[in-house]
Amino acid sequence: MEKKLWKHIQLVKQNAPLVHNITNYVVMNTTANALLAAGASPIMAHAKSEIQEMVSIAHSLVINMGTLDEYWVESMLMAAETAHSTKKPWVLDPVGAGATSFRDRVASQLLAYQPTVIRGNASEIIALAKANTTATKGVDSTAQSNEAIEAAKTLINQYHTMVCISGETDIIMDGSQTIFLKNGHPLMTKVTGLGCSASALVGAFIGDTDNTIEAVAAAMSLIGIAGEIAVQDSNGPGSLQVNLIDKLYTISEEEFMSHLKIERR
Amino acid sequence: MEKKLWKHIQLVKQNAPLVHNITNYVVMNTTANALLAAGASPIMAHAKSEIQEMVSIAHSLVINMGTLDEYWVESMLMAAETAHSTKKPWVLDPVGAGATSFRDRVASQLLAYQPTVIRGNASEIIALAKANTTATKGVDSTAQSNEAIEAAKTLINQYHTMVCISGETDIIMDGSQTIFLKNGHPLMTKVTGLGCSASALVGAFIGDTDNTIEAVAAAMSLIGIAGEIAVQDSNGPGSLQVNLIDKLYTISEEEFMSHLKIERR
Amino acid sequence: MEKKLWKHIQLVKQNAPLVHNITNYVVMNTTANALLAAGASPIMAHAKSEIQEMVSIAHSLVINMGTLDEYWVESMLMAAETAHSTKKPWVLDPVGAGATSFRDRVASQLLAYQPTVIRGNASEIIALAKANTTATKGVDSTAQSNEAIEAAKTLINQYHTMVCISGETDIIMDGSQTIFLKNGHPLMTKVTGLGCSASALVGAFIGDTDNTIEAVAAAMSLIGIAGEIAVQDSNGPGSLQVNLIDKLYTISEEEFMSHLKIERR
């Protein structure tokens, strides 16, 4: 599989997929730059008057709930519905799920349109499952990552989706297989929006592929490895944000392959 | 007092206060990164459907009027009211006060909820006082900074708030004491949003403290000193923006204490 | 003319024109920093409650359609109408023209207020002309740049505007003369929002000038040359974004004059 991940990275550079992002204000610039650096073409658009047309011209859709409000939620729902009904791949990034009842309601409505991939951290995935599945509430798990895996399973069963739990180890699950990625660096958590950029890259990688779980693993390992390498030349989170974009653009096959830490079960 | 300022900086790193920002589009990314670099946890959220819940889970609230509109103003008012009624500390950054009558009206409505701290430049503080206090209009002062000090006094008396006038010298006043900070560098005025980041840091520092004026002085001196040191490695305002974030993250007690220029009257 | 371009650059630094931007979320930070670095004073404001007042205090207006929605469109139209009726110079950046029928309708409504300058890439200029002029649809041209020149001519005739087609060669036309600028670097297309920053700089340069086409050429050559020089110290698009802002701030007359590639017909 390792060799195949690099092929996905090359494919994005060759095909420059158009990725339609309905994302939060905080990360729009970084996300657009991450997509451009990886070879994709970003569109950011949210107007109800054009949302369906935009979804239809894009290769994929990414919905990120970060700075949602009532208007944006309507746009998100229209976009998700269009993606679902036209079988366009789409990613849900449930930022802040569990923080307010509004976010839980919105996440619940979006899930009904069966995202191709859900990417969130452990607590967001757990919150989604608690609010939106018929799973027994008292999932008995001591460690949070185990609890998140159980939560992911219930989401996968109920919504026929794939789940990527990001964290120190990224866990990608599709119901039949599970991939563990151990790339990345703790300093990346001090840069705002790298999770959001990861979701956008996942969107780019699943835009035109015949193997979605591999594409997700390629996107997640790309940003993890680029971050790891970028940290080496960084003096803190400010320069890491800059160097990570550079590395997404310049990463070589050798750099990628020599850093890749992947495990499959 | 000098030693105590460093303790406030350490406290933020230890406690990672949750800072709820209703701020402008221009600076959201920088502000979130500045908060993360200083050790705080940023939330950016503005939807009326969740604003009260968000205020209630955060340690403090920062309202920045930069790119306000009618919807955002309603959210700001709901948030300020919630903060006021639940005694949650909050910061008002009255960006562009005095520029339009809309901004003056909004600032006036927000002031009614008695911000814990108002942070603005001299002309914003003067505009606030002119529009919202019973101060004699013709404040007789030749220098703008003197006029701002008079304006701050009337705001403090009328709204039981603290005022931080930022500029070449930052002036922090609470009615009984006045602190002067002479850190910072002129190149910082060429980077957008450093004032906004300063307000956000003030929000982080007053989130959990028993000495608010000291906390404000710690936040303002932190960004001023980090900026001063960051300028040394910068080729212009672009690299300064990056290096400042790095320095907020890496600053040592020795660096901080050796640069601090504080005076108390 | 070459010597005169540098004078325009100096004028902006001396006069610090106030540039009112109604622009997209993705580029607000970069745009504000580019304007500051070039010596201008950026305002970002879009509330209908203050838009006319803001237009009236600014030296110029820049309308960028990037992340438009129904509310923002109303603001854009109010601002354009105010600029037109008060003879305030204004720039239209028709981001994504041609992508959706909503964008075409909005562009059409904005054109009615006769922008001083339209700056877009070839496909945007062609889309604008197709949707909004009485030009014969089947413009006979093989190359896209030729087609864009024909499109620009019809826009100039119909709306009494100036057009800047940006690309590998920037083409600036006012009906009587045409200026070709060959500065810039391909890596600049991998940084989001440099076209938007170029439009904002055009706004700054036409804010107070007696020779608009020269001012446009000065703004466009400034960002092209700053980009070219900045690339030399960059490891990818992340550091280019940072270094470009630095160079807009530090560029010397000698650097500018020795890189300038301009041709007039």
Side-chain angles (χ1 to χ4, degrees), chain B residues 213-228:
Chain B
I213 194 166
E214 256 182 38
V216 176
M220 295 303 296
S221 57
L222 174 61
I223 193 166
I225 292 171
E228 245 176 79

Side-chain angles (χ1 to χ4, degrees), chain A residues 25-27 30 66-70 99-103 187 189-192 235-239 241-242, chain B residues 25 28-29 32-33 36-37 39 42 44-50 53-54 57 71-72 242 245-246 249-250:
Chain A
Y25 302 124
V26 185
V27 305
T30 322
T67 54
L68 85 186
D69 65 25
E70 298 77 8
T100 66
S101 53
F102 178 51
R103 281 175 196 250
L187 189 60
T189 64
K190 294 294 175 185
V191 180
T192 196
N235 297 315
S239 43
Q241 185 176 38
V242 173
Chain B
Y25 302 123
M28 283 196 190
N29 187 270
N33 277 326
L36 282 169
M44 268 70 180
H46 67 283
K48 287 191 274 179
S49 301
E50 65 175 4
E53 229 173 319
M54 278 297 184
I57 63 175
Y71 177 96
W72 283 67
V242 173
I245 299 292
D246 281 353
Y249 184 72
T250 61

Side-chain angles (χ1 to χ4, degrees), chain B residues 92-105:
Chain B
L92 173 63
D93 187 336
V95 179
T100 65
S101 53
F102 178 52
R103 282 176 195 249
D104 284 345
R105 274 200 310 280

Side-chain angles (χ1 to χ4, degrees), chain C residues 115-261:
Chain C
T116 315
V117 182
I118 304 168
R119 194 218 59 86
N121 61 33
S123 71
E124 288 160 350
I125 298 299
I126 292 167
L128 273 194
K130 282 199 176 146
N132 296 296
T133 70
T134 52
T136 322
K137 293 282 171 180
V139 186
D140 255 326
S141 77
T142 39
Q144 199 201 31
S145 67
N146 284 340
E147 193 182 346
I149 288 174
E150 289 309 309
K153 281 183 191 164
T154 59
L155 289 167
I156 290 166
N157 287 335
Q158 201 141 335
Y159 299 102
H160 307 288
T161 182
M162 210 171 279
V163 174
C164 172
I165 310 161
S166 60
E168 207 184 310
T169 298
D170 297 327
I171 305 170
I172 305 167
M173 302 167 65
D174 73 351
S176 61
Q177 51 184 325
T178 303
I179 297 172
F180 297 83
L181 294 169
K182 305 209 170 184
N183 289 108
H185 189 281
L187 189 60
M188 293 172 76
T189 64
K190 294 295 176 185
V191 180
T192 197
L194 292 194
C196 305
S197 292
S199 294
L201 290 176
V202 168
F205 278 67
I206 67 172
D208 181 19
T209 183
D210 51 8
N211 191 328
T212 301
I213 194 166
E214 256 182 38
V216 176
M220 295 303 297
S221 57
L222 173 62
I223 193 166
I225 292 171
E228 246 177 78
I229 301 175
V231 163
Q232 297 169 12
D233 296 319
S234 300
N235 298 315
S239 44
L240 176 54
Q241 186 175 37
V242 173
N243 294 337
L244 175 53
I245 298 292
D246 282 353
K247 190 42 73 182
L248 286 174
Y249 184 72
T250 61
I251 195 165
S252 67
E253 183 174 2
E254 204 200 316
E255 283 179 311
F256 181 78
M257 295 305 295
S258 65
H259 282 81
L260 184 62
K261 289 190 201 128

